[in-house]
């Protein structure tokens, strides 16, 4: 998610790709790259989810009603007796009636009582699900898009529908992740899965979505469109009387830009001319983009600068914000993380990606800590209590720390390392422990090996104050 980004604002009109030279690594470093041990979080379950949704819109695209079916596998040796749904659409308002995303009429499981401000719902399965076995639940769903300028909200006739589809909570070695919703960042931690979403809506409504459109038919003034998305962690969309233009990134990814008044054609053109090379630059830095297209929804967002979803970003008409949000296609979208517990793993890395694009090397950045308790690796529980420290610490000092690590490892080794790390964890997970361990492996392979313990302490990349 974007905040006011001072370093990139001065270069907002720049739309050139910084050439990244991937020099061959020494054989010892290559061996270090391949030495990754097991995932510190252990097994994440439920796994391999498939989401099938059939939704019908009202005339304006502000209310959607239908059925959602979620099929999933138990990946853990322990039998799975219940699952938890995350109803993030209820996050801003909590349990105030009417709920923005109510669910009802369950089959395949028995729902319990809502909790965590109506963003978490337990569903008990009829019988314990053994490891490797697969089952499903289905339920009726309504999505009421709030009348507020927000990532799940409205801007005039445009509906922004982010984090509204119920998804599965994750259980790992830390237990069930039922963290609260935060409007100051993200709370999201979800498995890679497959979405098959069918919309029936007035034909005048256009949709920018995660995934790609696979069919469209019009009957009696209503258009039924099907969108499919594989290997993604969520599904978001925008709808309304949208205008659209598209172009091809040099890396072969279709970039679509969507907007409506008061966004101008010139602003939309800027976003397209920025998005095309930015997608290629990020792919060169962090590995191939595994999808056919990315959609950019442009608007005047008063409560946030931009927001990221798989294959779809929301952005103010600012080139710098867009480059940052497209960086999130890799950092959280492709390389997943627990955004509530370890927000630096996507925000600092997306800011670092933006710096690389604009040619900023982090020279002169300072570790100007806003307080004694501010740490790069603090969770959103801390930042929600210290909102004024969040951007400086996570975005600025976090990305500065990555630049400083590059100066320790050597710039060429850093380029190779960060590219390999992203590819290695693609459609998987990044954790602070994994990143530190793999960085240390590279540092240990240097001609003059370096212990990074003091580096992590100085940059407050740890979990102990």
């Amino acid at each position: 998610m974007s905040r006011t980004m001072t370093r990139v604002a001065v270069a907002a009109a720049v739309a050139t790709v910084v050439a990244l030279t991937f020099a061959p690594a020494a054989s010892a470093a290559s061996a270090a790259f391949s030495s990754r041990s097991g995932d510190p979080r252990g097994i994440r379950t439920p796994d391999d989810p498939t989401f099938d949704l059939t939704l019908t819109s009202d005339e304006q695209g502000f209310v959607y009603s239908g059925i959602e079916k979620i099929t999933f596998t138990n990946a853990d040796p322990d039998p799975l007796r219940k699952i938890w749904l995350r109803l993030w659409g209820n996050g801003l308002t909590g349990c105030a009636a009417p709920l923005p995303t109510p669910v009802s009429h369950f089959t395949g499981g028995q729902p319990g009582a809502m909790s965590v401000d109506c963003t978490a719902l337990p569903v008990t399965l009829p019988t314990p699900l053994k490891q490797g076995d697969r089952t499903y639940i289905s339920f009726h769903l309504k999505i009421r898009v709030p009348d507020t300028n927000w990532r799940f909200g409205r801007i005039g006739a445009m509906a922004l529908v982010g984090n509204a589809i119920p998804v599965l909570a994750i259980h790992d070695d830390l237990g069930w992740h039922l963290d609260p919703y935060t409007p100051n960042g993200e709370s999201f931690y979800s498995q890679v899965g497959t979405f098959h979403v069918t919309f029936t809506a007035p034909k005048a409504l256009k949709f920018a979505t995660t995934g790609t459109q696979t069919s469209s038919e019009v009957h009696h003034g209503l258009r039924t469109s099907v969108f499919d998305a594989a290997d993604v962690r969520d599904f978001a969309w925008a709808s309304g009387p949208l205008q659209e233009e598209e172009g091809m990134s040099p890396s072969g990814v279709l970039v679509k830009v969507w907007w409506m008044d008061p966004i101008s054609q010139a602003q939309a053109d800027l976003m397209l001319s920025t998005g095309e090379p930015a997608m290629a630059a990020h792919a060169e830095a962090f590995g191939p983009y595994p999808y056919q297209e990315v959609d950019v929804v442009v608007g005047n967002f008063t409560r946030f600068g931009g927001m990221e979803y798989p294959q779809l970003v929301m952005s103010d008409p600012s080139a710098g914000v867009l480059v940052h949000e497209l960086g999130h296609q890799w950092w959280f979208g492709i390389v997943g993380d627990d955004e509530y517990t370890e927000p630096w793993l996507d925000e600092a890395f997306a800011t670092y990606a933006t710096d690389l694009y604009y040619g900023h090397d982090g020279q002169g950045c300072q570790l100007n800590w806003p307080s004694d308790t501010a740490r790069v690796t603090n969770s959103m529980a801390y930042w929600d209590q210290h909102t004024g420290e969040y951007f400086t610490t996570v975005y600025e000092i976090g990305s500065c720390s990555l630049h400083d690590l590059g100066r320790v490892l050597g710039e060429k080794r850093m380029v190779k390392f960060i590219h390999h790390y992203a590819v290695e964890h693609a459609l998987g997970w990044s954790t602070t422990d994994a990143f530190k361990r793999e960085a240390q492996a590279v540092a240990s392979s240097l001609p003059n090996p370096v212990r990074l313990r003091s580096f992590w302490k100085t940059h407050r990349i740890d979990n102990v104050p």
Side-chain angles (χ1 to χ4, degrees):
M1 188 176 186
S2 173
R3 293 294 186 269
T4 302
M5 301 167 58
T6 56
R7 285 205 309 277
V8 302
V10 296
V14 177
T16 57
V17 180
V18 176
L20 301 176
T21 303
F22 292 89
S27 58
S30 297
F33 287 146
S34 62
S35 65
R36 186 166 76 99
S37 60
D39 191 322
R41 287 288 188 106
I43 295 173
R44 295 173 175 84
T45 199
D47 193 19
D48 192 24
T50 297
F51 301 84
D52 290 287
L53 293 101
T54 302
L55 298 173
T56 299
S57 167
D58 69 353
E59 189 69 24
Q60 295 175 295
F62 294 161
V63 179
Y64 295 84
S65 302
I67 296 175
E68 178 174 356
K69 177 182 178 181
I70 308 175
T71 307
F72 54 90
T73 301
N74 179 22
D76 196 276
D78 292 335
L80 189 63
R81 291 176 168 80
K82 71 176 177 182
I83 60 169
W84 285 83
L85 286 179
R86 295 317 311 256
L87 306 175
W88 293 120
N90 298 334
L92 272 183
T93 56
C95 296
L99 292 177
T101 55
V103 292
S104 62
H105 299 86
F106 277 74
T107 60
Q110 181 63 41
M114 292 265 196
S115 63
V116 197
D117 288 332
C118 290
T119 67
L121 178 70
V123 181
T124 301
L125 303 178
T127 58
L129 189 66
K130 296 179 181 178
Q131 185 179 30
D133 285 354
R134 197 160 174 82
T135 191
Y136 77 93
I137 62 168
S138 67
F139 48 89
H140 290 198
L141 167 68
K142 179 167 283 190
I143 297 173
R144 302 183 180 100
V145 183
D147 187 10
T148 184
N149 189 317
W150 188 234
R151 59 197 182 191
F152 178 39
R154 309 180 204 167
I155 302 178
M158 178 193 290
L160 302 175
V161 192
N163 307 113
I165 291 179
V167 295
L168 297 174
I170 288 179
H171 182 279
D172 59 23
D173 281 0
L174 299 179
W176 284 105
H177 287 263
L178 303 176
D179 298 308
Y181 180 86
T182 172
N184 299 309
E186 290 80 47
S187 303
F188 316 124
Y189 179 36
S190 53
Q191 296 275 26
V192 166
T194 299
F195 287 80
H196 180 82
V197 182
T198 301
F199 293 107
T200 297
K203 66 178 182 179
L205 288 181
K206 295 184 179 180
F207 286 80
T209 75
T210 298
T212 57
Q213 182 174 299
T214 56
S215 69
S216 179
E217 298 180 350
V218 176
H219 296 286
H220 306 296
L222 296 177
R223 185 187 307 276
T224 298
S225 303
V226 178
F227 296 86
D228 288 319
D231 294 328
V232 296
R233 303 179 192 277
D234 203 347
F235 187 101
W237 71 91
S239 66
L242 306 176
Q243 299 183 66
E244 183 260 337
E245 65 178 354
E246 61 187 49
M248 189 65 67
S249 166
S251 57
V253 176
L254 182 65
V255 180
K256 293 185 176 182
V257 174
W258 303 82
W259 76 99
M260 56 180 292
D261 290 340
I263 299 299
S264 69
Q265 180 70 55
Q267 289 174 314
D269 291 345
L270 171 64
M271 303 304 272
L272 182 60
S273 65
T274 300
E276 291 170 343
M279 287 297 292
H282 291 331
E284 188 175 3
F286 310 121
Y289 190 65
Y291 315 111
Q292 297 177 12
E293 73 176 65
V294 62
D295 287 18
V296 177
V297 179
V298 187
N300 293 319
F301 305 131
T302 58
R303 298 177 62 185
F304 65 107
M307 183 61 193
E308 69 277 2
Y309 298 97
Q311 296 183 258
L312 182 144
V313 300
M314 304 169 185
S315 177
D316 278 344
S318 160
V321 171
L322 178 59
V323 174
H324 177 92
E325 299 309 328
L326 292 176
H328 277 301
Q329 290 298 300
W330 279 262
W331 302 107
F332 175 70
I334 297 172
V335 183
D337 67 281
D338 179 345
E339 292 187 299
Y340 189 87
T341 304
E342 300 180 295
W344 87 284
L345 289 171
D346 55 277
E347 293 299 356
F349 281 66
T351 305
Y352 177 74
T354 308
D355 286 349
L356 293 182
Y357 178 81
Y358 284 117
H360 301 315
D361 60 7
Q363 290 286 350
C365 64
Q366 302 292 322
L367 303 183
N368 294 321
W369 301 104
S371 74
D372 291 340
T373 54
R375 318 188 72 76
V376 170
T377 46
N378 280 346
S379 75
M380 288 308 305
Y382 177 89
W383 302 123
D384 281 346
Q385 298 299 314
H386 304 82
T387 56
E389 301 178 2
Y390 179 50
F391 177 80
T392 297
T393 308
V394 173
Y395 290 68
E396 293 188 340
I397 297 179
S399 59
C400 178
S401 299
L402 295 175
H403 288 296
D404 285 350
L405 180 61
R407 282 181 273 279
V408 173
L409 301 181
E411 295 300 335
K412 290 183 178 180
R413 284 187 177 88
M414 182 65 176
V415 166
K416 182 73 174 180
F417 165 56
I418 204 73
H419 181 275
H420 183 94
Y421 185 85
V423 171
E424 180 189 29
H425 293 271
L427 302 182
W429 303 97
S430 177
T431 65
T432 300
D433 288 343
F435 182 76
K436 291 170 63 176
R437 182 178 61 247
E438 296 183 43
Q440 181 59 65
V442 177
S444 297
S445 74
L446 296 173
N448 296 308
V450 176
R451 293 294 299 170
L452 294 176
R453 182 175 300 176
S454 62
F455 178 90
W456 304 131
K457 182 177 181 180
T458 298
H459 291 78
R460 301 189 186 179
I461 298 177
D462 55 50
N463 297 315
V464 181

